[in-house]
Amino acid sequence: SDFEGIIPKDEYGAGAIFVWDRGTWVSMEDDPAAALASGELKFQLSGEKLNGGWMLKKLPKGDKQWLLIKERDRFVEKGFSVAGEPAAEVPVTAILPGKPGPMPKRLKPQLATAVASPPDGEEWLHEIKYDGYRTFARKEGDGVSFFTRSGLNWTEKYEALVPAFAALDCESALIDGEVAVQDARGATSFEMLQKALSEGRDHDLIFYAFDIVHSNGNDLTSVPLATRKAVLRRLIPNGSDSRLLYSDHVIGDGRQLFSQVCRLGLEGVVSKKSNAPYRQGRTHSWVKAKRFEIGTFDIIGFTTKASSRHVASLMLAETAEETNYVGRAGTGLALDETRSYFDKFSSVEIDAPAIALPKTQGAHFVEPGRYTAEISYRGRTTKGHLRQAAILSIKETAKPNRGRSNTKKLITDRDLANIRLTNPDREIFKGSGTTKQDLAVYYARVGDSMLPHLLNRPVSLIRSPSGSLDDVFYQRHGFPGLPDGMETIKDGDSEYLVIRTPRGFLGLPQFGVIEFHPWDCRTSDMDHPDRMTVDLDPGEEVEWSTVVSGANAVRDRLHELGLASFVRTTGGKGAHVVVPLAGKDDWAKVRQFLKALARQLADEMPRLFTDLQSKAKRRGRIYLDINRTTHGTSAVASYSLRATPEFQVAMPLPWQDFHTGTPPTVFNRKSALSHVERQSVDPWDGFEKARRPISAKALKGVGLKG
DNA sequence: GCGTGTC
DNA sequence: GACACGCAACGCGGG
DNA sequence: CCCGCG
Ligand SMILES: [Mn+2]
Ligand SMILES: [Mn+2]
């Protein structure tokens, strides 16, 4: 049949029809008509696209549904796509695309034009923008050299990168990329890079390769970008530990990636036309969108238009070692706000500015330190003024967020850049308003606080990749696609999950992981717990204030026994009291101790506690569940979200903040983030120093002999 | 989310 | 191709 | 020995 055209809606085969392949077919059956009637017909095709053995098989249900199945023969092609080969699958090693020619001596890099936000559409591919030095890497045989944007030879400075390029499996290559430094969040990597180079420390350097313009005697500049990147990807070995990394991309929805990049505090997004050749100099086939930065600044004045009683713009300053003017921000206030802030600011107006300011029309000055503004902006001018400053909010003398002094940065920009999410806008539970991206962002932002008590322990996960509350499951063993940085560890006859690195941790939201339940031991010593958990499970109708008294009673008793303890809400109805251990006592001894402790507390305070699991007998009391610290069991991790539509959080608190005003409902995905980011110290500060073995005195104290 | 098996 | 399924599991103590 | 419990 040669029919092509459009079949109208509601008719059989509705939609666009075109001839996709031509050829002949031969039946493999003696009686094809009979075979067809019986529901199974084998035949051979010889077409331009499809070849070899095929089978039509009728499904038992209905009579119009057939399967077209490819036989296993030499014509089988894995990954074959009806829509055409995906760009990444372009064959490269045998026949290199491009045309023969010498490797250019000097090349100007292709540059991107700045835009406000990334473009949309399937013709664009989007990469993470790294903040470093643009660099060409040139490999000719065993010789490797590096050139800056302006053509300077920086091979000496980038010495540490040479081996990675020398090891590449090709005769020659000219690779375009960015040299950056592996960086903790907070400082920009550009600053770190300059520091690293000036101190002669090049061991942190990483080359992010995003283009290849010449290889093995072939000029690739006129080859489409998608093909060049495919060549590059084949060339660069996979392996996160290398100093030479392939800068991967996503296709299509750039705005989604941009929003993720902004929220994670990365530099921005570079978007490139996937079918465009490599062009030297500034082009429109590459565009870059830098993220908005958000900062809090002091309001030192405001302007008005003529004698208007509305605020037209804020005059802003920031204080590092000294106070400096950073320019004005005008947009972002509603009309009624421009009026109400005029009144507020007028009440703290002063005659002269606190610092030297450029002369400004309609300027008024206010007492410094009275108001701050949260400003979004995009980089700075050479004078240090904010570009494209917009007002997000104004606060009365709020303290700027300084971050926790005693929490180490564990998550690097590189870890954040490696997060890949499919379906980022999918709601974790339909109607909950929390998306997979929200989940990933939450864990990226609490990771530095969470990981010290989570890494390198066996861990059970609670997942819900399906979007349904009815479809939530535990996972304690490995699963296919386990991210880099996740491992399994053998214990007895089973293999249990372990998170080894921040990267492994950040890879989990992609798999619908919601809750984290680590064991109370490290993988380095699976026989000796290094902490123990007393789980307070309130029965029906137990008030939060009772849980607070109960936890404090447990703490006081532990204290009498010479053991420090720390508390968290569990995100459910109860609380955990966690005791740091030295890792000397085995599970049996810890269990013995906990059992005696729970029995003792239940005996002494029978109206508050029970150590009997029976739910019926719990009424109005708290069940002291000591089975959280048993070989093979686990307890929810601090900062873990809980898998309910409210997404409450298991929140560790300093004892003085654990009171009737902090019921578990206070902490959910959103509030927990601002809570954590407002903290100046770790709520469990001192945990490591408080590790003790269970002493003879402690055993005696709970009625066991020492 | 993903591999696996069934219809 | 659509769909359904699994994705942990052990030990304690009471009856 | 089974069951509820987490
Ligand atoms: Mn509990
Ligand atoms: Mn419990």
Side-chain angles (χ1 to χ4, degrees):
Chain A
S1 164
D2 280 331
F3 174 80
E4 288 197 345
I6 299 195
I7 297 177
K9 228 173 106 175
D10 301 329
E11 286 184 28
Y12 180 76
I17 304 292
F18 61 96
V19 174
W20 181 73
D21 195 10
R22 286 172 203 278
T24 57
W25 71 282
V26 181
S27 169
M28 301 293 285
E29 317 281 352
D30 295 334
D31 185 351
L36 199 57
S38 80
E40 188 170 312
L41 174 66
K42 292 189 175 184
F43 56 97
Q44 294 277 331
L45 283 181
S46 19
E48 288 162 27
K49 290 180 176 136
L50 298 184
N51 284 286
W54 294 78
M55 175 169 65
L56 269 171
K57 192 180 169 69
K58 190 176 185 174
L59 288 177
K61 280 190 188 156
D63 24 270
K64 291 183 191 166
Q65 296 184 29
W66 293 79
L67 296 179
L68 177 61
I69 298 165
K70 180 79 200 81
E71 304 271 297
R72 283 187 187 282
D73 58 24
R74 68 193 173 86
F75 294 106
V76 167
E77 272 180 62
K78 267 180 112 177
F80 180 84
S81 161
V82 172
E85 297 287 274
E89 299 301 326
V90 173
V92 289
T93 35
I95 314 144
L96 205 56
K99 44 179 187 277
M103 188 183 289
K105 284 242 156 45
R106 198 174 151 200
L107 199 68
K108 278 192 238 151
Q110 176 158 3
L111 301 174
T113 308
V115 291
S117 65
D120 214 8
E122 293 300 308
E123 71 272 30
W124 293 95
L125 58 84
H126 312 277
E127 298 168 349
I128 304 272
K129 185 175 186 305
Y130 290 99
D131 192 12
Y133 288 126
R134 184 67 176 277
T135 306
F136 280 115
R138 196 184 175 92
K139 172 186 159 84
E140 288 166 292
D142 292 336
V144 177
S145 49
F146 297 97
F147 295 89
T148 67
R149 197 169 137 162
S150 57
L152 299 175
N153 187 331
W154 275 31
T155 309
E156 222 166 275
K157 289 187 202 285
Y158 296 153
E159 193 77 52
L161 299 173
V162 168
F165 285 90
L168 287 182
D169 184 22
C170 67
E171 199 42 47
S172 72
L174 185 54
I175 294 174
D176 190 3
E178 188 95 355
V179 175
V181 79
Q182 180 172 342
D183 176 19
R185 230 178 340 164
T188 73
S189 35
F190 190 74
E191 283 167 347
M192 300 270 291
L193 177 60
Q194 284 178 315
K195 200 154 160 258
L197 289 175
S198 65
E199 289 170 3
R201 273 189 316 117
D202 59 5
H203 53 273
D204 293 334
L205 299 182
I206 291 169
F207 191 103
Y208 292 98
F210 50 68
D211 213 323
I212 182 164
V213 290
H214 202 276
S215 184
N216 291 357
N218 268 306
D219 175 8
L220 302 178
T221 52
S222 52
V223 166
L225 173 63
T227 311
R228 298 200 306 275
K229 287 206 72 170
V231 171
L232 189 61
R233 198 214 325 243
R234 293 285 179 96
L235 195 55
I236 295 177
N238 272 333
S240 53
D241 293 333
S242 170
R243 308 176 149 284
L244 169 56
L245 298 176
Y246 171 71
S247 173
D248 211 346
H249 58 259
V250 300
I251 291 172
D253 191 357
R255 285 167 309 184
Q256 192 282 312
L257 177 68
F258 189 56
S259 93
Q260 193 169 319
V261 157
C262 289
R263 292 172 71 179
L264 292 171
L266 297 170
E267 169 76 1
V269 170
V270 182
S271 310
K272 304 173 178 179
K273 281 243 174 78
S274 60
N275 62 359
Y278 194 93
R279 291 266 174 271
Q280 302 184 47
R282 189 83 52 193
T283 62
H284 290 277
S285 52
W286 288 18
V287 297
K288 59 183 175 187
K290 274 195 159 183
R291 86 160 193 275
F292 285 106
E293 291 171 78
I294 293 176
T296 303
F297 299 93
D298 297 324
I299 300 176
I300 54 166
F302 63 100
T303 63
T304 55
K305 284 202 179 95
S307 59
S308 147
R309 296 176 65 80
H310 290 267
V311 172
S313 71
L314 303 177
M315 303 175 79
L316 303 166
E318 70 186 334
T319 304
E321 287 178 9
E322 54 185 47
T323 302
N324 286 306
Y325 181 60
V326 295
R328 290 184 290 152
T331 58
L333 290 183
L335 187 63
D336 56 330
E337 291 176 310
T338 64
R339 182 55 221 261
S340 64
Y341 280 115
F342 178 88
D343 290 340
K344 286 181 182 168
F345 294 157
S346 295
S347 70
V348 293
E349 189 167 347
I350 52 179
D351 292 339
I355 55 170
L357 295 179
K359 212 171 155 62
T360 308
Q361 277 279 321
H364 306 257
F365 311 106
V366 303
E367 285 178 39
R370 297 301 294 263
Y371 288 92
T372 60
E374 202 178 22
I375 303 293
S376 91
Y377 60 100
R378 218 194 278 268
R380 308 244 185 172
T381 67
T382 47
K383 281 160 127 184
H385 293 191
L386 310 179
R387 264 189 236 279
Q388 296 180 36
I391 304 161
L392 297 176
S393 65
I394 294 177
K395 288 199 182 77
E396 226 173 313
T397 54
K399 280 185 201 137
N401 167 26
R402 246 175 268 107
R404 279 195 201 170
S405 55
N406 56 350
T407 298
K408 261 178 68 183
K409 299 278 185 199
L410 296 172
I411 295 177
T412 64
D413 277 4
R414 189 169 150 188
D415 295 325
L416 297 177
N418 273 321
I419 300 174
R420 292 286 181 278
L421 294 180
T422 58
N423 303 319
D425 297 326
R426 196 205 98 216
E427 287 184 299
I428 298 298
F429 297 125
K430 279 184 206 74
S432 69
T434 287
T435 64
K436 200 159 92 173
Q437 179 173 241
D438 292 330
L439 192 70
V441 167
Y442 173 82
Y443 281 119
R445 287 172 61 171
V446 297
D448 286 334
S449 304
M450 185 169 180
L451 288 171
H453 297 279
L454 179 60
L455 287 182
N456 297 312
R457 299 169 181 279
V459 64
S460 299
L461 306 174
I462 293 182
R463 299 176 55 194
S464 182
S466 74
S468 162
L469 264 173
D470 302 329
D471 203 359
V472 172
F473 59 89
Y474 268 81
Q475 188 139 18
R476 19 163 41 189
H477 307 308
F479 54 91
L482 209 60
D484 271 9
M486 289 293 300
E487 291 175 10
T488 56
I489 183 163
K490 232 193 169 73
D491 186 66
D493 291 335
S494 303
E495 303 219 324
Y496 298 96
L497 287 167
V498 194
I499 307 170
R500 290 295 182 201
T501 66
R503 179 165 179 183
F505 170 67
L506 295 171
L508 292 173
Q510 162 60 11
F511 292 88
V513 172
I514 304 171
E515 298 191 14
F516 295 84
H517 293 240
W519 298 16
D520 278 343
C521 70
R522 300 174 198 261
T523 54
S524 52
D525 186 354
M526 304 271 285
D527 297 327
H528 299 89
D530 72 337
R531 62 188 181 204
M532 57 183 174
T533 303
V534 180
D535 178 13
L536 286 79
D537 285 340
E540 299 287 313
E541 293 167 33
V542 174
E543 309 245 331
W544 178 244
S545 60
T546 309
V547 177
V548 172
S549 328
N552 276 282
V554 174
R555 176 197 60 176
D556 292 344
R557 175 54 42 88
L558 288 164
H559 180 75
E560 288 161 21
L561 300 170
L563 293 166
S565 62
F566 297 81
V567 70
R568 67 171 160 247
T569 67
T570 61
K573 289 185 172 166
H576 288 167
V577 174
V578 182
V579 179
L581 292 177
K584 303 272 191 247
D585 307 306
D586 61 18
W587 295 103
K589 182 169 172 189
V590 170
R591 177 173 183 77
Q592 220 184 9
F593 171 81
L594 285 171
K595 202 166 143 183
L597 175 76
R599 176 63 54 91
Q600 189 185 55
L601 286 165
D603 281 349
E604 286 176 23
M605 293 172 260
R607 285 190 309 168
L608 186 57
F609 294 128
T610 171
D611 64 336
L612 270 30
Q613 73 224 25
S614 146
K615 237 176 177 163
K617 293 187 181 170
R618 205 176 295 178
R619 298 184 340 272
R621 297 184 292 178
I622 297 167
Y623 168 47
L624 291 174
D625 174 11
I626 58 149
N627 294 312
R628 306 298 22 105
T629 308
T630 308
H631 185 252
T633 66
S634 60
V636 71
S638 292
Y639 306 101
S640 178
L641 297 168
R642 304 311 300 262
T644 63
E646 293 77 36
F647 290 99
Q648 291 190 162
V649 168
M651 181 60 75
L653 294 168
W655 278 106
Q656 71 270 14
D657 292 347
F658 183 76
H659 50 61
T660 51
T662 49
T665 48
V666 168
F667 302 108
N668 56 40
R669 176 179 65 82
K670 287 185 191 164
S671 66
L673 270 185
S674 50
H675 173 82
V676 169
E677 287 172 359
R678 234 179 16 247
Q679 286 171 333
S680 55
V681 300
D682 179 354
W684 281 14
D685 192 28
F687 191 95
E688 292 305 316
K689 284 184 186 152
R691 296 188 178 283
R692 300 282 183 279
I694 297 171
S695 66
K697 181 194 138 193
L699 289 174
K700 201 175 283 178
V702 292
L704 298 166
K705 62 170 187 201

